Amino acid sequence: MKKISALIFAFAVMLCLSVTAFAAPGAFLESPSANLGPSLHSYENEDGDCTANVIVTPYSKRGSLPTDVKDKLEAAYEDIVESTDLANLSEELKNLAKEKGIDSAALAVSDLFDISYSDCVVHDEHGYFDVVLKADTLSRFTALLSKGDNGWELIDNAEVAIIDGQYYLRFSIDTFTPLAIVVDTSAEAPDTGDADMTWVYVSAMVISLAAIVVLVRKSRKQEA
């Protein structure tokens, strides 16, 4: 029986750790360390001579970035974690929330990521990139923020398009800085679907409970 008690305790600890891993720090919708981030759907440069390849790196994979880029992404993370109201990061975001009638306290960052490029040594002479991303939380999209040398700024050309029932985010940039997708988490906002992590918690509890039941039955058979 002592072995069973120890195993039950171990499963309880594992469950607590799994919940902690997915807990959302600060003004994040969910932990960016566990978030795979948006995926690159397509991109195009306005200059046909540009040979650059666009690369999207979510915060969870920041270890693959050069040190200076990683440091900028982690600095952006700290800003969001320490924020009690995202509108305080950007006056433009604050004004946008007012225009849309959104309580700024309901704003959260669903995705934090970096966009970079490779294979173009003269890209500074080329123009804007038109980028299209796919992310699970775009049904509640409010804004796309960029953190540059002047702090957090709104990318005002960002817009969401629905193609074959899927949500895509389209925007244009000519500089590469940490980017954050801001969503509305209020009850009036559309359902986020995959952004809801409840299924993760429920699955973990069900698996743990099933394992405990199996162990108890085995123990009773051995004692019989």
Side-chain angles (χ1 to χ4, degrees):
M1 229 15 228
K2 288 183 179 180
K3 289 183 179 180
I4 294 177
S5 298
L7 287 170
I8 291 175
F9 176 75
F11 276 116
V13 171
M14 289 173 62
L15 179 58
C16 290
L17 289 175
S18 66
V19 171
T20 300
F22 288 104
F28 282 101
L29 185 64
E30 61 179 273
S31 173
S33 294
N35 187 352
L36 296 179
S39 58
L40 180 63
H41 178 265
S42 62
Y43 64 89
E44 183 177 354
N45 190 274
E46 65 176 356
D47 188 331
D49 293 330
C50 183
T51 59
N53 292 315
V54 170
I55 303 169
V56 177
T57 306
Y59 182 81
S60 58
K61 296 183 179 179
R62 63 193 181 283
S64 63
L65 295 170
T67 301
D68 59 331
V69 179
K70 176 185 175 184
D71 289 344
K72 290 181 180 179
L73 193 58
E74 290 181 340
Y77 168 87
E78 292 299 328
D79 285 349
I80 299 168
V81 165
E82 295 172 1
S83 175
T84 56
D85 189 329
L86 282 178
N88 294 331
L89 294 181
S90 165
E91 192 67 26
E92 295 172 309
L93 179 60
K94 182 182 295 185
N95 293 334
L96 180 63
K98 289 180 179 179
E99 290 176 11
K100 293 187 174 185
I102 301 173
D103 182 355
S104 61
L107 297 177
V109 171
S110 62
D111 297 276
L112 176 63
F113 56 100
D114 173 77
I115 286 188
S116 58
Y117 69 90
S118 64
D119 302 328
C120 186
V121 295
V122 293
H123 178 71
D124 290 342
E125 299 177 10
H126 296 154
Y128 282 78
F129 273 111
D130 290 323
V131 181
V132 180
L133 302 179
K134 186 177 184 303
D136 293 331
T137 56
L138 293 177
S139 63
R140 292 189 179 190
F141 176 79
T142 299
L144 180 64
L145 292 180
S146 169
K147 186 181 181 182
D149 295 335
N150 297 320
W152 289 94
E153 298 178 346
L154 188 71
I155 296 183
D156 55 11
N157 60 42
E159 60 181 5
V160 170
I162 303 177
I163 304 174
D164 296 329
Q166 300 292 317
Y167 288 84
Y168 295 90
L169 177 63
R170 175 178 294 160
F171 57 94
S172 298
I173 55 172
D174 64 344
T175 57
F176 297 87
T177 61
L179 297 173
I181 296 176
V182 179
V183 296
D184 177 10
T185 65
S186 63
E188 294 77 16
D191 183 19
T192 56
D194 291 343
D196 185 1
M197 297 302 293
T198 302
W199 68 271
V200 176
Y201 307 143
V202 173
S203 298
M205 287 188 287
V206 170
I207 292 172
S208 298
L209 181 59
I212 291 171
V213 170
V214 171
L215 289 171
V216 170
R217 286 180 176 176
K218 285 185 177 180
S219 177
R220 287 180 177 175
K221 287 181 180 180
Q222 291 175 353
E223 293 175 354

